[in-house]
Amino acid sequence: DPYADDPVRHPALKVNSQRPFNAEPPPELLTENYITPNPIFFTRNHLPVPNLDPDTYRLHVVGAPGGQSLSLSLDDLHNFPRYEITVTLQCAGNRRSEMTQVKEVKGLEWRTGAISTARWAGARLCDVLAQAGHQLCETEAHVCFEGLDSDPTGTAYGASIPLARAMDPEAEVLLAYEMNGQPLPRDHGFPVRVVVPGVVGARHVKWLGRVSVQPEESYSHWQRRDYKGFSPSVDWETVDFDSAPSIQELPVQSAITEPRDGETVESGEVTIKGYAWSGGGRAVIRVDVSLDGGLTWQVAKLDGEEQRPRKAWAWRLWQLKAPVPAGQKELNIVCKAVDDGYNVQPDTVAPIWNLRGVLSNAWHRVHVYVSP
Ligand code: MTE
Ligand code: MO
């Protein structure tokens, strides 16, 4: 069993798949803290978790022509200037289970928990690339990452991001060695992972082994044959993966974490809680909540940290305390967020359905009963 050496996990996690391990925290735990505690941070693995020795670990960075290739130990990485940032990581498949209700899709049945937030510390990718002699260039180029996790044929997890993002100090792409003040847990990439603020989880390569700059995107399955969006009209017979760009920045997202669907709430007053986030550093400026399926709206109170302009890498938690209209037996609670580009979420799932079940960001709806 290649998974026999996987780490022990927190019992509160809701497991979507055991081998490889994929799990999400239950919603009410997810928004209990602005920073997600490491043991309940959602986990998305495609392969067995490698067991790497921090003393012999080396990160290989392929040098630029005229530059030099680097073989960096953990100590070497710690010698680069240290940066610490709060970043929310979301899987492209978050909320996929709602797409499945429209029509079958291929993928793990994530509910609202394939998203979490941590404080990450590490070296900046741009500093490491500069030391290897890389510069921004006029022609298109991509920074390719390879993980040290691999399948029985030796194929490793891989992904890439555009060189322009990697070299931009304002994009704050990190080679992270710390998560919430601790060395990275094994499930989250020990000893080093990439953190690409504002970008889909799939590019945050864990157990990072190799970095190179190429004229084309990574040839990895996960860059080219997965994590792409398509029209609802496209099925597995007709899909042409080369016709769509890889997902990088994610669209605006929000979800209700309390109360839970099907729950009974007290009459009088109801407290509604949730999270909201947008990709590309776009800040969430407002969350609207409805108790009547979207006929009337109230504005929720945003908690969590105010963020820097164009660097809103982390989510906002939000809540609304609202009177339950007298005589109501049930409530259709809905939330929707707006980001600073005034981007909004679509009201229903069907028009954004896609065969892989990614980018599921329709208004989130929860149906509850009111106790008499
Ligand atoms: N990196 C490696 N090496 N192997 C993987 O399977 N999964 C990716 C990304 N990085 C993956 C990886 C995906 S799809 C996601 S959503 C994030 O890691 C999840 O990060 P987490 O498990 O720390 O939450
Ligand atoms: Mo993912």
Side-chain angles (χ1 to χ4, degrees), residues 41-44 46 149 157 188 193 201 204 206-207 227:
F41 198 100
F42 90 96
T43 300
R44 205 292 177 237
H46 292 81
D149 49 339
Y157 186 87
H188 302 291
R193 83 174 305 168
H204 300 227
K206 306 192 273 191
W207 314 291
Y227 298 112

Side-chain angles (χ1 to χ4, degrees), residues 116-136:
S116 297
T117 299
R119 226 152 142 89
W120 307 92
R124 282 198 313 202
L125 176 61
C126 61
D127 293 340
V128 172
L129 286 175
Q131 190 163 106
H134 293 288
Q135 298 173 335
L136 253 187

Side-chain angles (χ1 to χ4, degrees), residues 85-311:
I85 46 172
T86 307
V87 174
T88 294
L89 209 151
Q90 181 180 220
C91 182
N94 191 29
R95 301 183 58 198
R96 177 180 285 127
S97 57
E98 292 162 64
M99 271 192 186
T100 311
Q101 284 162 23
V102 172
K103 201 168 89 183
E104 194 193 331
V105 299
K106 212 155 111 185
L108 294 161
E109 288 292 295
W110 296 109
R111 295 159 64 125
T112 52
I115 183 169
S116 297
T117 299
R119 226 152 142 89
W120 307 92
R124 282 198 313 202
L125 176 61
C126 61
D127 293 340
V128 172
L129 286 175
Q131 190 163 106
H134 293 288
Q135 298 173 335
L136 253 187
C137 52
E138 293 290 298
T139 52
E140 190 188 334
H142 302 266
V143 179
C144 301
F145 306 115
E146 262 175 50
L148 294 165
D149 49 339
S150 58
D151 69 12
T153 71
T155 307
Y157 186 87
S160 63
I161 60 170
L163 179 67
R165 182 183 293 277
M167 291 304 291
D168 180 3
E170 300 291 306
E172 304 189 317
V173 182
L174 291 188
L175 302 179
Y177 42 68
E178 252 179 55
M179 180 178 181
N180 297 330
Q182 303 287 322
L184 296 181
R186 278 186 63 207
D187 264 330
H188 302 291
F190 181 81
V192 176
R193 83 174 305 168
V194 189
V195 171
V196 196
V199 163
V200 66
R203 317 298 166 216
H204 300 227
V205 175
K206 306 192 273 191
W207 314 291
L208 185 64
R210 190 170 187 272
V211 177
S212 62
V213 177
Q214 314 268 354
E216 301 228 34
E217 284 189 87
S218 165
Y219 280 91
S220 135
H221 168 86
W222 297 279
Q223 188 76 20
R224 302 228 168 195
R225 290 287 172 273
D226 202 351
Y227 298 112
K228 293 186 171 191
F230 293 97
S231 160
S233 64
V234 171
D235 61 24
W236 289 101
E237 312 273 88
T238 57
V239 64
D240 171 13
F241 271 95
D242 293 327
S243 69
S246 60
I247 301 170
Q248 295 281 341
E249 294 183 0
L250 285 170
V252 60
Q253 176 69 287
S254 70
I256 298 158
T257 54
E258 281 180 56
R260 302 279 297 264
D261 195 52
E263 208 176 285
T264 300
V265 301
E266 296 295 309
S267 56
E269 192 181 61
V270 61
T271 300
I272 303 156
K273 291 188 184 176
Y275 64 75
W277 180 75
S278 191
R282 291 176 287 276
V284 167
I285 59 164
R286 201 181 76 232
V287 173
D288 299 326
V289 177
S290 173
L291 302 186
D292 54 15
L295 292 173
T296 62
W297 298 92
Q298 301 175 59
V299 176
K301 181 168 124 344
L302 296 181
D303 301 330
E305 293 167 11
E306 190 73 45
Q307 298 177 64
R308 295 164 296 160
R310 288 180 287 110
K311 293 183 189 172

